Amino acid sequence: MDFNTYINQSKRRCREDYRLEPTEVPTLEIELTDIEVERRKQRLENALPVIQHFMEKVIYYMDGTPIIVSTTDDEGYMIHKFGDQSMMEMIDAFGIHNGVQFRERVAGTNSIALSLFHDEPIGLVGKDHYHEALHDIACYSAPFHYGEDNRISGTISIMTTVEYASQFHLGLLSSAVDSIERELRLQGKNNKLEILNQIMINSTPLGMIMTDQEGCITDYNAALEKLVEYSMEDRLKNGDTKTYVIKPYVDHVLLTGEKLENKEVTLSFDDGQREKICQLDVLPIYDGDEVIGTCAQFRDMTNYYELQEKLIESEKLSTLGKFSAGLAHEIRNPLTSIIGLTQLLKETNAQNKYLEIITSELDRMKNLVNQFVLLGKPASVQPSPCHLHNLIEETIELMKSSARLQNVRIEFESDHKDLVMKIDEAKMKQVFINFLKNAYESMEDGGVVQVRLVHHPDSNEVEVIIEDEGEGMTPDQISNIGTLFNTSKENGLGMGLSISLEIIKAHHGKVEFDSEKGQGTKVELRFPM
């Protein structure tokens, strides 16, 4: 059909169906509140700036022609208009404001309603309008399509007076709408690509930085902030876009266009007190044949290198364990014989005083060898039902006399006297002896060692807490707990805690230390029931 057919059909509906009087001035009432208008604008928030940009160019090309540009949504509600001030005053007289709806049954034959109904550009000039009051106006409307479903999203219209009407106006409007739709489709694709890009960047555990052609940071991901331990957003807001430690690598890639891989860089923290070792890849970003930036990605290798060191230490301990087991086997029997002979010599009563010293020292040597034997073997336990309350109480009674010599009192608190769990009683007793001994020996000025037995039904765990009032430990001392031969005691061997931690581990337990220098130490032993 042609325009004349559309117009004649519309006029017939206005006359016969809606009973509109052509001599009356159409009165459009605002049907939407300001809030509802804003809500409808938000549906087209990406489209409206593009429409304004292209339609301002149309106004520029039609210089000297008084024009108003209006945008409606897919239901014909006007949500935006701009243009010539004198034309604005004229349409205000007809009540044409944001929030009015261009329904044919109220506004009569109009280009907006026809354009939405037929989904094609429509132009009405002068007497094409049903109401005589609009015969001095020329209106051109074209539908625009925005979104994935490509349905009508609304209309874009231009309005002028009859004396400025031209057959070219509808073509100019249609061309502008085509450009608007292309731009909106392109923006939609770019937004999708940007979303996919952000998903890829933010889902990777690698820290990533994007730079421009000058080597300045333009983008980053959450993993990078976690790695560097500060807010990149704050840094960029302050204008700091430098790449610092990786600058030589970024500059090289920008200059040569060649990627760099597996470069080791060190990030320093806390004024050089702490470091993270990373492997760095820097890749060029091309636009055609031109390098326009780089993408740098960091892999935190700190844990890997720490694991390597622990593996080396483990191998050393394994070798030492095998050696100590062999050494112990070779000298334990002679030691036993010597101890037996000294016992016989005691019967002469001639040199009992010296023989007691010899026996004591030999016992000490035998104890040392036995400790080496324990280190040489994996910790194995033979669990059986045990009243944990009674075991701790017995251990404390055993240690009280030694603690009293240090002017230390050991107090025990427990509400779980009937608590039974499967443990290796002898080895667990060794653990408690070790921690209690460490506790009261750290208290040179005396004091109290608090021991508490706590049951956690929610996690089905048992917790033994040993808290002293000793000299406490530094962070370095805490980090070295359990390291073989590491001890702060003058006559210590540095093996007791290593053995105890192995026994706890064999019971699937955990140990936590809470200590500050000069503030005492709290040890929490946790075991599953």
Side-chain angles (χ1 to χ4, degrees), residues 58-125:
V58 170
I59 292 175
Y60 175 78
Y61 293 139
M62 298 172 68
D63 184 35
T65 302
I67 288 176
I68 286 179
V69 176
S70 66
T71 304
T72 72
D73 65 9
D74 59 340
E75 295 181 41
Y77 285 102
M78 181 176 285
I79 58 174
H80 185 59
K81 61 181 171 39
F82 65 95
D84 183 78
Q85 188 59 39
S86 62
M87 287 292 295
M88 285 284 193
E89 293 173 358
M90 182 182 73
I91 66 171
D92 284 346
F94 294 105
I96 300 176
H97 303 284
N98 287 346
V100 302
Q101 186 182 30
F102 285 86
R103 289 181 296 175
E104 197 174 68
R105 66 172 56 251
V106 176
T109 302
N110 65 88
S111 60
I112 291 173
L114 288 174
S115 180
L116 285 172
F117 185 77
H118 295 288
D119 192 14
E120 60 179 280
I122 300 288
L124 299 184
V125 179

Side-chain angles (χ1 to χ4, degrees), residues 321 324-325 328-329 332 368-377:
S324 64
H329 179 75
R332 184 162 49 185
L368 176 59
V369 171
N370 286 335
Q371 296 268 18
F372 268 109
V373 171
L374 288 174
L375 282 174
K377 297 178 181 178

Side-chain angles (χ1 to χ4, degrees), residues 45 66 79 99 147 189 214 283 292 321 374 396 408 428 446 484 505 520-521:
E45 61 179 346
I79 58 174
K189 289 180 180 178
E214 304 300 320
L283 311 174
I292 61 170
L374 288 174
I396 291 173
V408 173
M428 195 57 70
L484 194 60
K505 184 179 178 182
T521 300

Side-chain angles (χ1 to χ4, degrees), residues 463-513:
E463 187 177 29
V464 180
I465 302 169
I466 301 172
E467 191 169 2
D468 64 54
E469 300 172 348
E471 61 183 2
M473 294 183 286
T474 64
D476 283 343
Q477 287 175 317
I478 293 174
S479 64
N480 287 320
I481 286 175
T483 303
L484 194 60
F485 306 124
N486 178 67
T487 180
S488 59
K489 300 177 186 177
E490 185 174 342
N491 298 314
L493 299 175
M495 292 188 290
L497 267 180
S498 298
I499 295 168
S500 295
L501 294 178
E502 285 297 316
I503 293 172
I504 293 168
K505 184 179 178 182
H507 282 85
H508 307 291
K510 294 179 289 187
V511 187
E512 290 184 10
F513 296 88

Side-chain angles (χ1 to χ4, degrees), residues 127-342:
K127 294 182 179 180
D128 291 337
H129 295 94
Y130 181 76
H131 290 97
E132 294 175 2
L134 301 177
H135 286 179
D136 292 332
I137 295 175
C139 298
Y140 308 89
S141 299
F144 69 94
H145 305 79
Y146 168 58
E148 293 183 1
D149 52 12
N150 206 37
R151 290 189 301 176
I152 296 178
S153 299
T155 65
I156 302 171
S157 305
I158 56 177
M159 180 187 298
T160 187
T161 56
V162 170
E163 57 264 33
Y164 289 99
S166 169
Q167 59 180 337
F168 297 111
H169 288 172
L170 189 61
L172 185 61
L173 175 62
S174 298
S175 177
V177 170
D178 286 342
S179 298
I180 289 168
E181 289 180 336
R182 280 196 301 271
E183 178 65 21
L184 290 174
R185 283 195 294 270
L186 181 61
Q187 283 190 4
K189 289 180 180 178
N190 288 340
N191 288 339
K192 283 184 179 178
L193 289 173
E194 177 66 19
I195 290 170
L196 288 173
N197 182 51
Q198 289 300 321
I199 290 173
M200 291 175 64
I201 288 178
N202 289 318
S203 63
T204 177
L206 305 180
M208 297 186 72
I209 285 177
M210 312 288 283
T211 76
D212 60 16
Q213 211 166 5
E214 304 300 320
C216 298
I217 297 172
T218 58
D219 203 0
Y220 58 92
N221 67 350
L224 180 84
E225 287 192 310
K226 185 177 179 181
L227 179 68
V228 298
E229 299 181 13
Y230 57 74
S231 169
M232 287 293 295
E233 183 180 1
D234 292 344
R235 203 183 110 181
L236 295 181
K237 278 182 180 177
N238 293 330
D240 186 359
T241 60
K242 297 177 184 177
T243 50
Y244 293 103
V245 69
I246 68 168
K247 186 179 187 304
Y249 304 108
V250 171
D251 289 347
H252 175 82
V253 172
L254 288 172
L255 183 65
T256 64
E258 298 174 353
K259 65 179 180 181
L260 294 176
E261 294 181 303
N262 300 324
K263 299 298 180 182
E264 188 173 292
V265 295
T266 301
L267 307 180
S268 296
F269 301 86
D270 304 331
D271 297 326
Q273 298 298 312
R274 188 164 54 88
E275 293 181 341
K276 288 183 181 179
I277 303 171
C278 301
Q279 280 193 345
L280 172 72
D281 300 333
V282 185
L283 311 174
I285 299 174
Y286 283 95
D287 182 8
D289 295 331
E290 183 184 5
V291 178
I292 61 170
T294 66
C295 173
Q297 56 186 28
F298 298 80
R299 295 185 295 280
D300 188 354
M301 304 298 289
T302 309
N303 290 338
Y304 171 77
Y305 287 125
E306 287 177 353
L307 187 62
Q308 272 193 332
E309 290 179 4
K310 288 181 179 178
L311 184 61
I312 292 170
E313 184 180 351
S314 177
E315 289 294 330
K316 288 180 180 178
L317 287 175
S318 177
T319 303
L320 177 61
K322 291 174 183 178
F323 170 75
S324 64
L327 176 66
H329 179 75
E330 292 298 325
I331 67 174
R332 184 162 49 185
N333 290 338
L335 280 174
T336 304
S337 299
I338 292 170
I339 292 170
L341 289 172
T342 55

